[in-house]
Amino acid sequence: MDIIQKYMTKNRCYTSPVTITVKKLVLHSLGVAQPNSDIIFNKMNTNNATVSVHGFIEADRIIQVLPWNYKGWHVGTGKKGSYNNFAIGIELCEPKGHTYNGGTMVNYDVSANKAYFTKVYNNAIQLFAMLCMEWELNPLKDIVCHCEVYTLGYGSNHADVMQWLPKHKKSMDTFRTDVRNKMNNITVIKKSSSAKETELIQKQLI
Ligand SMILES: [Zn+2]
């Protein structure tokens, strides 16, 4: 899937950029039932917004909204500091239909949302594999979610994404492993010499 670039040109993270060296990738989810990232984009794309992210993942779109090496305001600050200083933040858009009680999803229909979840999860694997290769990161060590960053002491106390992934029998460990496997597959394809070989490998992957 192609990545759509649509920068938040009014957000202060874009208009007064602070460049960062990317060392970590943070997976978030919106914490609200909103599959359309345009709604969130419009809220963030103002000159007084106090939050920003680098990208959104929808069921059928991957959208980059800040240059990867611009500092975003996505994970807050913890007792040891902030991952914002060296991490890309990506939001998974959540499907319609549920509400929240604190950090817990209420009335989330697992079976009805299975297909949606599979799409955003797989899109996230694709994007994170690409970002790990671009920034030479180790997917098993350098990918974390917001609640993990909080536990590490470098972010605010949010539940994402572990309020959601386990409902579909996924975790950050399965995600990290899936990204690593995707990277291995991409590397195999890149190294192969002929178009015929590539075709063969792609068939094997499917
Ligand atoms: Zn978050």
Side-chain angles (χ1 to χ4, degrees), residues 26-31 53 74-75 90-91 145-147 156 158-161:
V26 180
L27 185 63
H28 298 262
S29 75
L30 289 180
V53 295
H74 52 94
V75 78
I90 304 291
E91 292 278 0
C145 72
H146 193 157
C147 68
S156 55
H158 281 215
D160 58 318
V161 300

